[in-house]
Amino acid sequence: MVELALIGATGVLSLGFAAWLVRWVLARPSLSEPAAVRLAAAVRISGERFSRRLSGVIGALVALLGGMLFLAYGLYAGTRDTVAPLRLGVWITLSLLLGGGGVLAAARVATFVGGRAPLRVAAGARRSVDLALQIAMRGGAAVGLATEALATLLLGALAFGALFEASGFGAEPSRGLASVPHLPLLLSGYALGACFAALLVQFGGAAFAKAADVGADVAAREHALADDAEAN
C-alpha cells in the first residue's frame, strides 16, 4: 500500500505542476489585433465543438465495447479461471471504461491548451524567439504531463480498489495482498480502453484536419482566395 500511496502522491504533484504550466501559459500576453483574435476564436470554438462531439461518440463506443467484454468474461464460467467470472467481468469492464475516459479527458485538455496557446506564442515571438519557445514548450509539456499523471492516478486507483475489494473492504488485508498476482488480469481492460479510444481520437482528428484542408482548397478555388487568407 505504501507503493500505491507514493504513486498517488506523484500523480497529484504532476497534475498540480501541469496546472501551473497551463496557468503560466495563459498568463502570457496574446495578440490583440482584431483579425487575429477573431480568427483564433473561430478556430478554438470549432475545435472545442468537434472535440465534444467526438468525445460523445467515442464514449458510446467504449461503453458498447465494455458491455461486450462484460458479457464475454462476466457470464462465462471457465474451467481454469482463478478469479470468479463475475468479478473478472466487472473489473475488466470498469478498467476499460476508465482507460477510455482518461484518454478523452487528456484530449479535452489538449484541445483547451492548443486553442489558446498559439496567440501567446505569436505574441511572444514579437519579443524574442526564446519567449516563444518557452510558451510553446511549456504548453506542450503541460498536456503531456497531465496525460501521464492522469493515467498513473487512474491505474493506481484501480489497483487500490481491486485490492480493497479483495480484502473484503478492509476486513481481511491478507486476502487483498494474496490477490496481487491477479491484478494484471483484472486491470487488463485499461490498456484496451485507452488504446481503443486513442486510436479513434487519432482517426477523428485526422479526418477533421483533412476536411478543413479540403474545404480551404475548395473555397480558394471557388472564391479566388489564398489558402492563408483570413476569409478562408
Side-chain angles (χ1 to χ4, degrees):
M1 292 301 179
V2 175
E3 292 82 358
L4 289 178
L6 291 175
I7 290 172
T10 303
V12 171
L13 289 175
S14 300
L15 276 181
F17 186 62
W20 179 84
L21 287 175
V22 172
R23 184 177 180 181
W24 184 90
V25 169
L26 296 181
R28 300 308 99 191
S30 63
L31 294 178
S32 58
E33 288 84 347
V37 173
R38 184 169 60 253
L39 180 61
V43 172
R44 184 181 70 250
I45 292 172
S46 62
E48 290 177 348
R49 287 179 177 174
F50 177 78
S51 178
R52 286 194 296 269
R53 178 64 63 85
L54 185 66
S55 297
V57 173
I58 294 177
L61 292 176
V62 170
L64 177 62
L65 179 60
M68 295 170 61
L69 285 178
F70 177 77
L71 293 175
Y73 285 93
L75 302 182
Y76 170 73
T79 58
R80 295 186 177 181
D81 291 339
T82 57
V83 182
L86 182 59
R87 180 170 182 254
L88 179 62
V90 168
W91 280 106
I92 286 181
T93 303
L94 180 61
S95 61
L96 180 136
L97 294 177
L98 287 181
V103 168
L104 295 180
R108 296 297 293 271
V109 172
T111 303
F112 178 84
V113 176
R116 290 161 176 80
L119 276 179
R120 291 160 175 82
V121 173
R126 293 182 174 180
R127 295 181 56 186
S128 67
V129 175
D130 180 66
L131 179 58
L133 287 176
Q134 281 189 21
I135 298 172
M137 291 294 292
R138 292 186 181 187
V143 175
L145 188 58
T147 301
E148 299 301 328
L150 188 60
T152 301
L153 284 174
L154 288 176
L155 270 177
L158 282 170
F160 176 80
L163 294 177
F164 189 65
E165 181 265 338
S167 67
F169 300 98
E172 299 181 51
S174 59
R175 286 180 54 194
L177 293 177
S179 68
V180 169
H182 301 153
L183 283 181
L185 178 61
L186 293 175
L187 308 184
S188 58
Y190 185 90
L192 177 61
C195 292
F196 181 67
L199 186 64
L200 293 178
V201 168
Q202 183 179 9
F203 284 162
F208 179 79
K210 180 57 66 176
D213 185 44
V214 172
D217 291 340
V218 172
R221 184 169 300 178
E222 293 294 329
H223 302 284
L225 295 173
D227 288 344
D228 57 352
E230 179 188 350
N232 197 8

